Amino acid sequence: MPDEKKPAAQPAPPQPTGRPSTAAPSPQPPSIQGQRPQIEAPKPLEAAQNLNGQTIEAFEFRGAKRVPQDTLKALIISKPGDNYNEETLRRDFMLLWNTGRFDDIRLETEPGRTGLIVRFVVTERRVIRSIEYPGAKSVTVSEILDRFKERKVGLSVESQYDPNKVQRAAVVLKEFLSERGRQYATVDPQIEQIPPSSLKVSFVVNEGPKVKVGNIDIEGNQAFNRRWVIRTMKNTKPIGIPYSIWFEDLFAKTYDSAKLEEDKERVRQAYQDKGYFQAKTLEESVDIQHKGGHGWRLPLIKPNNPGIQADITLPVEEGRLYKLHAMNFIGVKLFRTPEVLMRPLFGMGIGDVFSTDKLRKGIENMRKLYGKFGFIDFVPEPNFDIVPNSDQIDLTLTADEGKQFFIRRIDFSGNTTTRDKVIRREVMLDEGDMFNTELWDLSILRLNQLGYFEMLKKEDAADIRRNPQSNTVDITLKVKERGKNSVGLNGGVSGIAGSFVGFNYSTNNFLGLGETLSLQSQLGTRMRDVSLGFTEPYFLDRPLQLGFVVYLRRFNFDQGREASILSGTNLIPLYNQLGAQNLLNYTQNSKGASVSASYPLRRSFARLGITYGFDVSDVKTSTTAAASYFQYINFSGVSGPNSLNGIKTSHISPSYSYNTVNHPITPTGGRSVFISVDFAGSVLGGNVNTIRPAIDLKYFKPAPWHRSHILAFHWLGQMVTGYGGKFIPPFSRTYIGGEQDVRGFEIWGITPIAFVASSSSVNVLNDDGSPRTQKVVSNGVVLSQNVTMTVPTYQLITPGGDAQSVGNFEYRIPIVGPVVLAIFADAGINKILRAKQLTMDPSRVQGLNDQFPQAGFDGRVLIAPGTQRMRASTGLELQVMLPVVNAPFRLYWAYNPSIVQEFIQPPVVADRSFFPNNNTFANAVTTFGQAYPYFEKRSMFRFTIGRTF
């Protein structure tokens, strides 16, 4: 460390001289006298006294490079023209010294033209140009700087060098390392000179070995076992599976004496929560020792790794189990008989075990109760009196009720787009009302549910100004508008699935009136979809929500392509071998509209709604097999072309919803329940009779171990059935899979696989295996044509399920800003429960049996075994909230532990006696009896926009 002068607490009295001082810097306290006191004595007092009374001509400052001369002259009291006064100059000296800018100050005088020239010769304090932490591995530089800021060390780059601050920084850094288990760490501050007057400070760290928590022994515990006590020690207890026998202490935590003190307080508090009011923890003993590194080891069970561990022995004194003897209320005037509040608010009564946890919750409940009546300054103070020589305790609650406040004004700020009336109608309080804290909190929740503003927090959302003279409050609600428009553009090209381009636009606050307008379109090889929707949340300024949606859809189904998407393998060549007319290829066109209305129940979070919709669908078949399938599948009880065109669905759906989720896009708490029953029937003007009940549940809560982490749960269940002699139409069945439910699978990729009776053409072969041909005359030309024959077969279809159940879980961890990491787990099942409603038209079955009596078709649709099993996926999802799109951009990787990977074998009904020779029979079996490979992907990587729930 370079030689430096150490400042003294008090400088020596100024001793003016008639010449400059030439003394060298000294490690002794600085003196205005420029020479070392042990070398040269101060000037005689008479010399200084001879200067008193003389006029000061000017002040000069030498050695100041970073501080301007004018600034220094402004700091001192004396001015040119004043008489020389030793006491005044002493004060000037102290003013300069107390700025902390100088390591040394000397005062000199010399004669001038008209008086004395007073000169302050200063040595500026050096500046720190860089700070480094070589050897620090357990903590990052940013963490160190945060700790310095927290402890107010005051050491930073470009600050003036202060050895006291450097030493304090070393102590704080060592304490920080100790918290990370480096109790043996050393921190050596080193100073390096950087010419001309700067310093480089290096805190050389030797972290030493890391100390882990070893065995924890509890002494004196009688009421609760050792594991119960250790579970309350949040900082010290090992990491493992809670309440398990073998896996509760898998990984040891880092030992920290400061955090052990916090755990001792937690143990004491846990005992008091159970009624042991006078329980306390005594002085612990910690045995630091080297462990492991020799002997046998077993991963997880006995790792036996070398290291240093701290064995902790914690004595406790449980004391007596106290019960509540009496509870008295002082100062409670709002309620005549406050005693009746004991059990409803505090959850305990006379004779019950006295729990401090119930007491805390009871006091909070009492504060909320008073807040409902406008007493927003209510302050309760509990006092405890232990009955001598007993296990009884008396509780006295002294209350300062304060004044009852009413609302004088409610104003809004920050709503640049949203109209005041849109906000005001969500506030459940009006001017003149008694200020009800519960209704105000519910108003904040209702505003957050709109999604118009950044998340409002109860404690920061409003400025509540009290007017004690009139017992009123003025409320200013502060909001910050968030993007109301959502614009999305997506597209893709695939050799299997074709290409598509999509565009969507929506606004949830149209013209600032709270109305919702949405426009979506997708044009592609598989699907074309255009829809327009509008919702008015307050019709005629009443809480009646009205909305409508109109849409046009076109879906192009190619069996080979769809099978390839489901299996993740290009199976189009395989399906083409079956013959173009033997594939289930068709195009579905549908158009329709729906209108909806809902109304809240008593200004609560529950709503009753009703939706009416009308849909017209038709099918244009591209192959003979598709025409047969739709013509003869029995879904309406009417055979013939009804299945191909004119499928009219007129349906009405009453619903009940209850929603306390605090934000539509980034929820952190609340629950949602949605129950609906959809009725479609000919009495409403359609030709489809179905009933579809559905339940959708959501629940969000902060994680108990980390309040910023969010636990999110979702479950959806629904089924559909026909009635009145009519069955479920093909397009009303359900398909799951994709980013909306089970993320690791293809969109609509989870469906039962089934086979339906049909007939197909196959080439007739000669005995030598060559195709048999015949001569035909076409337009006067003789041609050679293959001879074919019609054989009974089973056609593979993906009918969809009539019942589904989907469960989702997410553990959302905020990373930085709008970036969130989510650990997710999805599971879903899509089944056919009512197989009798998936049958063929009896006339078609009879016709096939007449044509192929040996086939013995019974009209049932045969479900392939194993294709209805539950699917599951789990993985990681990175969510980034995009301000323009106003929805999270998602990039996720999913692993599927439950998939279907097998060859699906179609039934073979062809009989050898029906064929002219064995080669033709073998050709038919090979063509229509071969197994279809159905191998779902084990993992999936995908990016999309939106949320699963």
Side-chain angles (χ1 to χ4, degrees):
M1 184 179 298
D3 186 24
E4 58 184 14
K5 295 189 75 173
K6 298 183 180 179
Q10 293 291 336
Q15 301 293 335
T17 63
R19 59 178 176 81
S21 173
T22 58
S26 170
Q28 299 299 321
S31 63
I32 301 178
Q33 168 184 322
Q35 299 175 343
R36 299 180 184 269
Q38 67 270 27
I39 297 177
E40 180 180 349
K43 295 295 182 182
L45 184 61
E46 290 76 12
Q49 291 176 345
N50 292 335
L51 298 177
N52 287 333
Q54 296 188 30
T55 303
I56 300 176
E57 178 182 338
F59 286 93
E60 293 181 357
F61 297 88
R62 290 185 180 179
K65 300 179 181 179
R66 291 189 296 270
V67 184
Q69 294 276 332
D70 293 340
T71 301
L72 296 175
K73 291 178 181 179
L75 289 175
I76 61 177
I77 299 174
S78 303
K79 305 297 179 186
D82 294 347
N83 291 331
Y84 183 94
N85 184 282
E86 180 181 343
E87 294 300 325
T88 303
L89 290 176
R90 186 186 299 274
R91 289 197 298 269
D92 292 339
F93 177 89
M94 293 302 301
L95 289 173
L96 292 174
W97 179 257
N98 289 336
T99 61
R101 296 175 178 269
F102 309 109
D103 280 337
D104 189 27
I105 303 175
R106 301 196 308 273
L107 177 64
E108 301 175 351
T109 60
E110 68 177 33
R113 294 182 180 180
T114 61
L116 291 176
I117 297 177
V118 179
R119 182 179 302 111
F120 290 93
V121 181
V122 300
T123 301
E124 287 187 321
R125 183 162 291 178
R126 290 164 290 180
V127 175
I128 299 175
R129 292 302 181 192
S130 65
I131 305 176
E132 296 181 355
Y133 310 89
K137 301 177 181 178
S138 299
V139 291
T140 63
V141 175
S142 60
E143 290 175 330
I144 295 174
L145 296 179
D146 290 341
R147 177 56 62 93
F148 283 177
K149 184 178 180 181
E150 177 185 340
R151 298 292 178 88
K152 299 180 180 180
V153 173
L155 182 69
S156 62
V157 177
E158 299 300 327
S159 65
Q160 292 181 340
Y161 171 73
D162 186 339
N164 295 325
K165 291 183 179 180
V166 172
Q167 292 299 325
R168 173 164 169 73
V171 172
V172 171
L173 178 55
K174 186 175 181 180
E175 291 176 352
F176 195 17
L177 291 170
S178 178
E179 293 178 10
R180 297 295 176 90
R182 303 291 181 177
Q183 276 75 16
Y184 294 95
T186 60
V187 179
D188 180 22
Q190 296 183 1
I191 310 300
E192 180 181 345
Q193 182 76 32
I194 301 179
S197 60
S198 300
L199 296 175
K200 173 184 176 182
V201 180
S202 298
F203 293 93
V204 180
V205 177
N206 181 8
E207 293 189 339
K210 197 167 190 177
V211 181
K212 292 285 188 176
V213 176
N215 298 323
I216 303 177
D217 292 328
I218 309 298
E219 296 180 350
N221 57 310
Q222 300 294 330
F224 302 100
N225 59 30
R226 169 181 171 272
R227 287 187 177 274
W228 182 89
V229 178
I230 293 177
R231 290 189 191 111
T232 65
M233 303 172 69
K234 178 181 177 182
N235 296 328
T236 311
K237 68 179 181 180
I239 301 172
I241 302 175
Y243 302 99
S244 61
I245 298 177
W246 301 104
F247 304 106
E248 193 165 1
D249 50 356
L250 296 179
F251 307 102
K253 287 186 178 179
T254 301
Y255 171 72
D256 181 1
S257 57
K259 291 185 177 181
L260 178 58
E261 292 298 321
E262 296 177 5
D263 281 344
K264 290 171 62 178
E265 178 61 24
R266 288 189 176 95
V267 172
R268 188 186 66 84
Q269 187 64 59
Y271 266 101
Q272 290 186 345
D273 291 345
K274 295 296 184 179
Y276 294 86
F277 184 71
Q278 289 190 317
K280 57 184 177 180
T281 56
L282 305 180
E283 186 68 24
E284 76 281 359
S285 62
V286 180
D287 182 16
I288 306 291
Q289 54 184 311
H290 294 267
K291 285 291 185 72
H294 56 274
W296 66 280
R297 63 186 301 269
L298 182 64
L300 295 182
I301 305 299
K302 186 178 176 59
N304 200 20
N305 296 323
I308 300 178
Q309 72 177 32
D311 294 336
I312 302 172
T313 301
L314 180 64
V316 297
E317 285 186 5
E318 295 179 337
R320 293 179 176 180
L321 177 65
Y322 284 88
K323 296 182 180 180
L324 185 63
H325 178 257
M327 186 170 184
N328 303 313
F329 293 89
I330 300 176
V332 177
K333 304 174 184 178
L334 180 63
F335 304 99
R336 293 184 178 180
T337 56
E339 293 77 13
V340 300
L341 302 176
M342 290 179 57
R343 195 166 293 280
L345 295 183
F346 294 87
M348 57 182 176
I350 303 301
D352 292 346
V353 172
F354 178 71
S355 170
T356 55
D357 179 56
K358 291 182 179 180
L359 176 63
R360 287 191 299 270
K361 294 179 180 178
I363 290 176
E364 182 61 26
N365 292 336
M366 195 171 184
R367 187 178 289 110
K368 291 180 179 179
L369 179 62
Y370 265 84
K372 292 181 181 180
F373 294 94
F375 293 89
I376 57 178
D377 294 329
F378 171 74
V379 178
E381 183 68 30
N383 294 300
F384 314 100
D385 293 315
I386 298 176
V387 179
N389 302 321
S390 71
D391 59 354
Q392 304 291 317
I393 189 169
D394 292 337
L395 173 63
T396 302
L397 192 65
T398 304
D400 181 5
E401 293 184 335
K403 296 181 179 181
Q404 187 179 32
F405 287 91
F406 293 81
I407 300 175
R408 189 173 75 96
R409 289 182 58 86
I410 300 179
D411 296 320
F412 311 105
S413 65
N415 52 318
T416 56
T417 302
T418 307
R419 313 283 179 90
D420 279 2
K421 73 172 187 177
V422 175
I423 304 177
R424 192 174 296 275
R425 67 195 184 195
E426 300 298 334
V427 177
M428 305 177 71
L429 296 169
D430 297 318
E431 283 91 346
D433 290 352
M434 179 178 62
F435 183 64
N436 187 321
T437 55
E438 181 182 42
L439 293 182
W440 179 251
D441 291 343
L442 294 178
S443 301
I444 298 298
L445 176 58
R446 287 162 62 97
L447 289 169
N448 282 329
Q449 288 182 329
L450 296 177
Y452 304 162
F453 314 108
E454 299 293 340
M455 181 72 77
L456 298 173
K457 297 181 180 179
K458 297 177 183 179
E459 58 275 12
D460 303 325
D463 179 17
I464 302 176
R465 186 166 57 88
R466 295 166 174 79
N467 304 308
Q469 296 80 6
S470 58
N471 292 350
T472 60
V473 294
D474 295 336
I475 303 175
T476 302
L477 181 65
K478 300 174 290 185
V479 300
K480 183 180 180 181
E481 300 267 9
R482 68 192 309 269
K484 65 176 183 176
N485 298 325
S486 175
V487 180
L489 181 65
N490 53 56
V493 178
S494 171
I496 297 177
S499 60
F500 75 96
V501 60
F503 169 81
N504 64 79
Y505 167 81
S506 65
T507 174
N508 62 353
N509 194 7
F510 187 57
L511 299 179
L513 297 173
E515 300 163 337
T516 301
L517 176 67
S518 62
L519 174 64
Q520 296 182 355
S521 66
Q522 180 172 316
L523 304 176
T525 307
R526 299 177 64 201
M527 178 179 289
R528 297 181 182 180
D529 186 355
V530 179
S531 64
L532 173 67
F534 180 80
T535 301
E536 169 58 62
Y538 269 73
F539 183 68
L540 299 179
D541 289 330
R542 297 176 60 85
L544 174 63
Q545 179 175 296
L546 298 178
F548 73 87
V549 176
V550 294
Y551 59 87
L552 291 172
R553 295 192 182 109
R554 181 177 183 270
F555 181 69
N556 183 18
F557 186 90
D558 183 285
Q559 189 173 15
R561 182 182 62 209
E562 298 300 321
S564 300
I565 295 175
L566 292 179
S567 65
T569 307
N570 188 0
L571 302 178
I572 295 178
L574 176 63
Y575 276 82
N576 288 339
Q577 295 177 8
L578 303 178
Q581 295 302 316
N582 295 324
L583 298 179
L584 190 63
N585 298 342
Y586 63 90
T587 300
Q588 175 199 355
N589 297 289
S590 61
K591 56 186 177 181
S594 64
V595 293
S596 61
S598 66
Y599 198 85
L601 297 177
R602 300 178 184 176
R603 296 184 71 185
S604 67
F605 294 97
R607 301 183 74 95
L608 292 179
I610 189 168
T611 301
Y612 171 77
F614 189 83
D615 178 274
V616 177
S617 298
D618 58 62
V619 175
K620 181 179 180 181
T621 59
S622 305
T623 62
T624 304
S628 299
Y629 171 71
F630 284 102
Q631 185 172 1
Y632 297 113
I633 195 73
N634 184 11
F635 79 89
S636 63
V638 180
S639 62
N642 234 16
S643 300
L644 291 173
N645 54 70
I647 305 174
K648 300 176 182 177
T649 305
S650 179
H651 60 99
I652 188 170
S653 176
S655 63
Y656 167 83
S657 64
Y658 178 82
N659 183 16
T660 60
V661 177
N662 58 10
H663 201 274
I665 301 177
T666 56
T668 58
R671 57 177 59 88
S672 170
V673 178
F674 181 81
I675 303 173
S676 67
V677 181
D678 186 88
F679 297 93
S682 54
V683 68
L684 299 175
N687 55 14
V688 174
N689 287 3
T690 58
I691 300 177
R692 184 190 299 270
I695 301 178
D696 191 295
L697 307 175
K698 298 177 184 177
Y699 179 61
F700 304 90
K701 65 170 294 186
W705 52 86
H706 201 296
R707 301 297 295 176
S708 66
H709 297 181
I710 305 301
L711 302 176
F713 304 87
H714 172 245
W715 180 79
L716 168 66
Q718 66 173 338
M719 67 171 297
V720 59
T721 182
Y723 67 95
K726 295 186 178 182
F727 296 158
I728 309 168
F731 313 124
S732 295
R733 294 184 172 273
T734 59
Y735 300 82
I736 63 176
E739 63 264 21
Q740 299 302 320
D741 35 56
V742 187
R743 275 164 273 203
F745 295 81
E746 295 288 349
I747 300 175
W748 296 358
I750 301 177
T751 173
I753 305 297
F755 295 93
V756 62
S758 182
S759 60
S760 303
S761 297
V762 65
N763 290 332
V764 178
L765 303 180
N766 296 316
D767 292 338
D768 60 358
S770 61
R772 182 176 297 180
T773 60
Q774 61 182 1
K775 302 294 184 179
V776 295
V777 178
S778 177
N779 297 326
V781 179
V782 179
L783 300 175
S784 178
Q785 182 177 341
N786 289 338
V787 177
T788 61
M789 63 180 297
T790 303
V791 297
T793 61
Y794 270 96
Q795 175 75 44
L796 184 144
I797 61 172
T798 53
D802 56 25
Q804 66 166 295
S805 176
V806 176
N808 309 99
F809 165 77
E810 286 188 10
Y811 180 53
R812 300 173 182 173
I813 306 172
I815 303 300
V816 57
V819 181
V820 175
L821 178 66
I823 304 171
F824 67 85
D826 305 327
I829 187 170
N830 191 20
K831 298 196 67 168
I832 298 176
L833 293 181
R834 302 178 64 84
K836 293 182 179 180
Q837 295 208 358
L838 190 63
T839 60
M840 296 182 61
D841 185 87
S843 62
R844 171 61 172 169
V845 177
Q846 185 62 41
L848 288 174
N849 285 329
D850 291 342
Q851 186 178 3
F852 312 106
Q854 77 280 6
F857 293 120
D858 57 7
R860 294 184 299 113
V861 174
L862 304 181
I863 301 173
T867 61
Q868 297 192 98
R869 71 179 60 165
M870 185 184 71
R871 311 304 210 279
S873 69
T874 183
L876 297 176
E877 179 174 291
L878 190 67
Q879 305 169 354
V880 182
M881 181 61 65
L882 302 179
V884 177
V885 180
N886 205 19
F889 169 84
R890 299 191 294 164
L891 185 70
Y892 69 81
W893 175 85
Y895 174 79
N896 304 324
S898 176
I899 59 176
V900 175
Q901 287 190 337
E902 57 187 40
F903 289 91
I904 300 177
Q905 179 65 50
V908 177
V909 293
D911 187 83
R912 170 64 182 83
S913 62
F914 185 75
F915 295 88
N917 54 45
N918 191 61
N919 284 335
T920 304
F921 172 70
N923 182 42
V925 172
T926 302
T927 303
F928 298 103
Q930 63 179 326
Y932 296 93
Y934 194 83
F935 291 85
E936 293 174 331
K937 296 180 180 179
R938 182 62 74 177
S939 62
M940 172 73 68
F941 183 80
R942 176 178 290 161
F943 65 90
T944 182
I945 295 178
R947 282 201 183 278
T948 300
F949 66 101

